[in-house]
Amino acid sequence: MPFDWSSIPRALPFLWQGMVTTLQITVIAVLVGILLGTLLAVMRLSANRFISLVAAAYVTLFRSVPLVMVLFWFHLILIPLVAALLFPGKQLELRFLTALTAFSLFEASYYAEIIRAGILSVTKGQFNAGLALGMSRGQVMRLVIIPQAFRRMTPLLLTQAIILFQDTTLVYVISLDDFFRRAYNIGNRDGTLNELILFAGAVYLVICTCASGCVRQMQKKLAS
Amino acid sequence: MISIRNLSKWYGEFRALNKCSTEVEKGEVVVICGPSGSGKSTLIKCVNGLEVFQEGEILIDGVSVSARKTDLPKLRARVGMVFQHFELFPHLTILNNITLAQCRVLGRSRKQAVEKAVQLLEMVGLSEHQPKFPAQLSGGQQQRVAIARALAMDPLAMLFDEPTSALDPEMINEVLDVMVNLAQSGMTMLVVTHEMGFAKRVADRVIFMDRGEIVEDHPKQRFFENPATDRARQFLSKILTH
């Protein structure tokens, strides 16, 4: 069957706006995910059983539930609830905020595990060396362990970010206009759904392949 | 300076240290030797609180290591430690390895810390390696940097946990030379080692440990010429043949 790609060039500015949304969600979720993930990792490794359990519960929860469900919980329940409490009676456009929150909290649980593994991969000898110099446990973590853990985990952290970039397409289910949903809508409108989905797929393929290639280069450099 | 009194440590059911007692006076160089598993590393790690112990007491300059109210990080900053596997911080340059704790623990200014670091690197013969990273240095060089890093804190005493055991033979002497100079300058040193040549040169006393106990604790001449126990005699005969 013949393909009609003609609607794509005209739609590029519109699609680009969608890509901006996709990138915004990805970048913010990655940054918040790494920050919160580091905190969770450190909490998991704490000697205090309560702190450790709270972090473990968080990580287990978000890793056991499908992302699409997390998105729905936030979209249908949590965010409207919080909004009703903070801004009673007002009608607000909250889908972008919902996406940011849900993805950030979700990613944090995955990053927490990567970072925890990274921290544990730094030997006890390094920890002892820091302590022997008079550093507090907190100082050793901040100055000696975490910097090393991050250098080792950077390829994995970036790979997780690439996966997140692809997962953002799920905002389709909460009617948020990211790149994919916009492509889909154009295809629907013009009767060229196949073409637009192929096009969108190709865009994700190119971006992710290049990004993965960069990560591999980085891994080679780090290994040497 | 360092007082170890009736020190006992268990790992679960296994008794690693059994009522160990000894004193290290200011300026003394004490060597601890013994077969593998005798508890020498465990003992020295108890001295600066890196290992916990269940019974007994350790005092450094009068301060108890295990007392609740002791500020352990502060106490550790006064005692330098050199590890078998060097344990330099791989993500920092040689210079920053030496300045890190000076600035963050002792609160020295960057300028002061760098000055001290440069001075110590010169002392151990590694000035030109300042901007390099630990991975670029040989084992012997890394260990010398590790000694400089510990000395930068101006410690009261230095603890050495088998400092040359992980080194290739041709690099052992460069590290021992630094340690000999340190001993001759009057530093209080507690050294766990198999290097009997070093002990003969600069040790004041030799402690022999076996199965978690201090079996002998004598001035070096007496230990080498006339060990009191069979266990020590056996150990020496095996070690000194090569």
Side-chain angles (χ1 to χ4, degrees), chain B residues 221-241:
Chain B
Q221 216 139 357
R222 188 169 147 205
F223 177 76
F224 284 113
E225 284 168 17
N226 196 12
T229 61
D230 277 336
R231 283 191 267 174
R233 243 184 285 267
Q234 265 176 20
F235 177 75
L236 276 177
S237 68
K238 287 197 194 125
I239 279 228
L240 293 174
T241 45

Side-chain angles (χ1 to χ4, degrees), chain B residues 154-189:
Chain B
D154 289 321
L156 299 169
M158 288 281 282
L159 306 172
F160 292 82
D161 185 5
E162 303 212 38
T164 58
S165 295
L167 294 174
D168 287 337
E170 67 267 22
M171 292 190 252
I172 293 180
N173 280 325
E174 69 194 57
V175 174
L176 288 181
D177 284 341
V178 170
M179 290 169 67
V180 166
N181 285 332
L182 192 58
Q184 286 169 343
S185 73
M187 175 63 78
T188 310
M189 292 165 67

Side-chain angles (χ1 to χ4, degrees), chain A residues 148-213:
Chain A
Q148 290 185 55
F150 267 86
R151 273 163 181 72
R152 293 176 196 203
M153 295 292 112
T154 301
L156 272 172
L157 295 172
L158 287 174
T159 302
Q160 187 66 26
I162 295 171
I163 294 172
L164 172 61
F165 175 71
Q166 294 173 47
D167 283 348
T168 58
T169 49
L170 276 171
V171 295
Y172 182 89
V173 304
I174 60 170
S175 309
L176 181 62
D177 278 345
D178 72 324
F179 175 78
F180 177 73
R181 193 180 157 94
R182 286 186 177 216
Y184 187 91
N185 287 342
I186 291 171
N188 227 356
R189 176 197 72 188
D190 295 348
T192 52
L193 197 52
N194 288 330
E195 290 84 330
L196 265 299
I197 289 182
L198 280 171
F199 172 68
V203 170
Y204 281 105
L205 181 69
V206 168
I207 294 177
C208 291
T209 310
C210 291
S212 295

Side-chain angles (χ1 to χ4, degrees), chain B residues 9 33 47 57 63-64 73 80 113 121 161 173 176 178-179 185 188 194-195 203-204 208 210 217 219-221 228 238:
Chain B
K9 179 189 169 68
C33 64
V47 174
E57 198 178 37
V63 181
S64 165
L121 280 172
D161 185 5
N173 280 325
L176 288 181
V178 170
M179 290 169 67
S185 73
T188 310
H194 296 297
E195 295 294 324
D204 293 304
F208 175 73
D210 191 16
D217 185 353
K220 90 172 149 204
Q221 216 139 357
K238 287 197 194 125

Side-chain angles (χ1 to χ4, degrees), chain A residues 126 131-134 139 143, chain B residues 73 76 87-89 91 104 153:
Chain A
Q126 285 286 299
L131 289 178
L133 287 166
Q139 281 178 316
L143 302 169
Chain B
R76 286 182 180 139
E87 303 295 354
L88 292 182
F89 304 133
H91 60 296
R104 301 295 187 131
M153 305 294 282

